């Protein structure tokens, strides 16, 4: 079974600073990878996804992520964060062959942007 | 389109009571899912469905039941509520059929069992 590890449960950062949220997954076979964002008291929204092709994926709100197959990682980055980026971020992985297109989620990283 | 809608938004149950969490999607998605989210634990899959009349257990199905009589609706039933079922519940849907696995989430139901 797949597992996803988000190495940092909380990441405090000052506004306009760069940020990287780390994600590692367990499987070395083909996977689909996702980052979701959850704003307070809301559901999850898709930030970006990697299915195939270019290893650098750009998403909404200026976020991007890089797929590294050899390190089984999919770290999320933003060069300059805003207060409005304060939220919980979840990395998720899916095995393209699984019958239910199920996602396995990491434990989440709380990004706290300070003024 | 409303996307995925869930009712109620909040609910307090007493131990031993039962309730149904409602989930509806208007995107004609074949696949639907129920998750629970506990603090610091990410999302755990309770049940999923790949089409009307077909359901299967996820990672944490004990204490829950589901049904899928239509494409649009996927209710989650809690029988004999326990404090361990205090959580936030999310419903999601996905096109399925070998596509990208992207899931679309509802706003959640916050359930407290006391």
């Amino acid at each position: 079974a797949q597992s996803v590890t988000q190495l940092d449960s909380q990441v405090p950062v000052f506004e306009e600073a760069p940020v990287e949220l780390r994600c590692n997954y367990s499987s070395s076979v083909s996977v689909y990878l996702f980052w979701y964002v959850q704003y307070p008291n809301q559901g999850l929204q898709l930030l970006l996804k990697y299915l195939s092709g270019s290893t650098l994926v750009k998403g909404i709100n200026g976020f991007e992520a890089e797929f590294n197959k050899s390190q089984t990682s999919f770290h999320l980055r933003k060069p300059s964060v805003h207060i409005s980026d304060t939220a919980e971020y979840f990395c998720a992985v899916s095995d393209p062959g699984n019958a239910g297109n199920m996602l396995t989620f990491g434990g989440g990283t709380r990004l706290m942007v300070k003024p | 389109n409303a996307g995925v809608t869930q009712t109620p938004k909040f609910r307090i149950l007493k131990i031993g009571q039962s309730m149904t969490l409602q989930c509806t999607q208007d995107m004609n998605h074949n696949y639907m899912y129920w998750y629970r989210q506990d603090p610091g634990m990410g999302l755990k899959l309770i049940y999923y469905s790949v089409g009307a009349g077909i359901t299967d257990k996820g990672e944490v199905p004990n204490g829950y039941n589901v049904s899928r009589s239509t494409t649009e609706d996927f209710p989650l039933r809690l029988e004999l509520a326990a404090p361990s079922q205090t959580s936030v519940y999310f419903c999601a849907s996905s096109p399925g059929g070998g596509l990208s696995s992207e899931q679309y989430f509802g706003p959640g139901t916050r359930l407290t069992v006391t």
Side-chain angles (χ1 to χ4, degrees), chain A residues 32 34 36 38 41-44 46 49 51 90 94 99-103 105-107, chain B residues 31 33 35 37 40 42-43 45 48 50 90 96 99-103 105-107 110:
Chain A
Y32 294 151
F34 304 82
Y36 282 85
Q38 184 181 32
N41 299 313
Q42 295 187 27
L44 278 70
L46 183 69
K49 60 187 177 186
L51 306 180
F90 292 95
S94 175
N101 284 2
M102 290 174 285
L103 293 176
F105 285 87
Chain B
Y31 292 12
Y33 311 83
Y35 294 91
Q37 182 183 29
L43 279 76
L45 183 65
Y48 69 99
V50 298
F90 289 100
L99 298 177
S100 73
S101 308
E102 178 181 346
Q103 294 182 13
F105 284 80
R110 187 175 296 272

Side-chain angles (χ1 to χ4, degrees), chain B residues 34 43 72 76 79 85 100 103 111:
Chain B
W34 274 106
L43 279 76
E72 295 79 17
L76 177 71
E79 306 281 1
Q85 293 178 304
S100 73
Q103 294 182 13
L111 176 68

Side-chain angles (χ1 to χ4, degrees), chain A residues 77-94:
Chain A
R77 302 186 182 101
K78 186 168 182 178
S80 175
V81 295
H82 302 288
I83 295 286
S84 60
D85 292 323
T86 294
E88 186 113 22
Y89 292 78
F90 292 95
C91 181
V93 62
S94 175

